[in-house]
Amino acid sequence: MVVEIVRIPVLNDNYVWLVHEPESNEVMVVDPAVADPVMAAAAERGWAITQIWNTHWHPDHTGGNEAIKAATGCTITGPEAEKDRIPTLDVMVKEGDSVSLGPVTADVIDVPAHTAGHIAYHFASENVAFVGDTLFAMGCGRLFEGTPGQMFENMRKLEKLPEDTAVYCAHEYTEANGRYALVAEPDNDELAERMRDVVAMRERGEATVPTTIGLEKATNPFMRARSIEELAERRAAKDAF
Ligand code: ZN
Ligand code: FE
C-alpha cells in the first residue's frame, strides 16, 4: 500500500478518513462530517487537503464540505445521481468512472439503497475500499432510498473484491451489528469468535474498522443472506432489534 490512511473519529460514531498519497503529496478526505477536526488532523501532519470524496449526500458525510473547500480550495468529487443534494460538488462520478489521487486511481462502484445514488471507491492497487454507509462490519446501511434487491446486488458487487481488501466504512457500528448478527446466525462459529474480539476491542476503546471483505463474507449476515427475501427479513429484524 502506498497511501497512508488516518482515522478521524467525529460526532457520535462517524469515521472520517484522511488519505495521503506521498508521491504527489495529495491529501483526500472521505466523507467529512465536520470540518475542524479534519483540518486539524491534516495540519498536525503538515498535509494540505487537495480533495474531498463523498459517498452519499447525508449531512454526516458532507457537513464539512463547504468549510474545508473554503479553507483549502480543494476539489470535491461525489455521486452524479446526488448532485442536486450536494451543492458543493465539483466532479460528478458514477460506476465505470475512476478518480485519481496523484498516481493512484480508484474505481467508482454504484451501491444504491441506503441513498438512491450512494457510491463506493475501490483502490485496486492499494487493496482498499471506502464504502460509506453501504457495508459495515457485520452490518449494512439502512434502506432509506432503496430496496432489499438493490442492497442484495450491492453485496454481490462488494463480495467480488479480493478477500484481503481493507474495507473502510463510515461508522463504528460493529458491536451493535454483531449482537444482531449472533441472533441471525447462532451457529456461525467464526462470527461468535469475531464478536468476542470486538467486545474486547471496544472495552479497550479501540476502533474495529477497517474490516476486510473476507471477514465480512464469513460473518456479515447481510452479505451472507442467500436471497433478496432473506436480506429483507434480516434488515427488517435489525431495524427493530
Ligand atoms: Zn448515511
Ligand atoms: Fe452516515
Side-chain angles (χ1 to χ4, degrees), residues 1-4 20-26 103:
M1 187 163 86
V2 176
V3 296
E4 293 169 73
H20 175 236
E21 196 292 306
E23 198 178 306
S24 61
N25 222 15
E26 281 224 58

Side-chain angles (χ1 to χ4, degrees), residues 120-176:
Y121 299 95
H122 175 228
F123 285 100
S125 68
E126 308 296 295
N127 241 355
V128 162
F130 293 98
V131 296
D133 286 355
T134 290
L135 177 64
F136 292 116
M138 295 186 277
C140 75
R142 284 179 185 251
L143 308 179
F144 290 123
E145 299 176 4
T147 63
Q150 286 176 313
M151 189 56 89
F152 187 79
E153 198 48 47
N154 296 340
M155 295 296 132
R156 305 290 74 78
K157 287 182 184 178
L158 295 173
E159 75 182 355
K160 282 201 199 86
L161 303 180
E163 297 223 333
D164 58 351
T165 305
V167 177
Y168 291 79
C169 32
H171 292 272
E172 179 64 59
Y173 287 161
T174 312
E175 192 171 355

Side-chain angles (χ1 to χ4, degrees), residues 31-142:
D31 284 351
V34 290
D36 289 348
V38 176
M39 291 197 283
E44 229 169 75
R45 293 166 176 81
W47 295 349
I49 295 168
T50 56
Q51 298 193 50
I52 291 171
W53 294 4
N54 293 135
T55 62
H56 66 295
W57 68 267
H58 282 163
D60 66 312
H61 298 256
T62 56
N65 278 13
E66 203 174 333
I68 296 172
K69 188 176 181 174
T72 64
C74 68
T75 301
I76 306 183
T77 298
E80 159 127 81
E82 297 186 357
K83 63 176 191 295
D84 296 337
R85 312 197 77 163
I86 315 177
T88 43
L89 282 191
D90 301 300
V91 181
M92 291 127 200
V93 294
K94 57 183 184 311
E95 188 156 301
D97 292 335
S98 56
V99 199
S100 293
L101 188 68
V104 300
T105 297
D107 297 317
V108 176
I109 306 171
D110 285 336
V111 284
H114 176 70
T115 63
H118 198 305
I119 57 174
Y121 299 95
H122 175 228
F123 285 100
S125 68
E126 308 296 295
N127 241 355
V128 162
F130 293 98
V131 296
D133 286 355
T134 290
L135 177 64
F136 292 116
M138 295 186 277
C140 75
R142 284 179 185 251

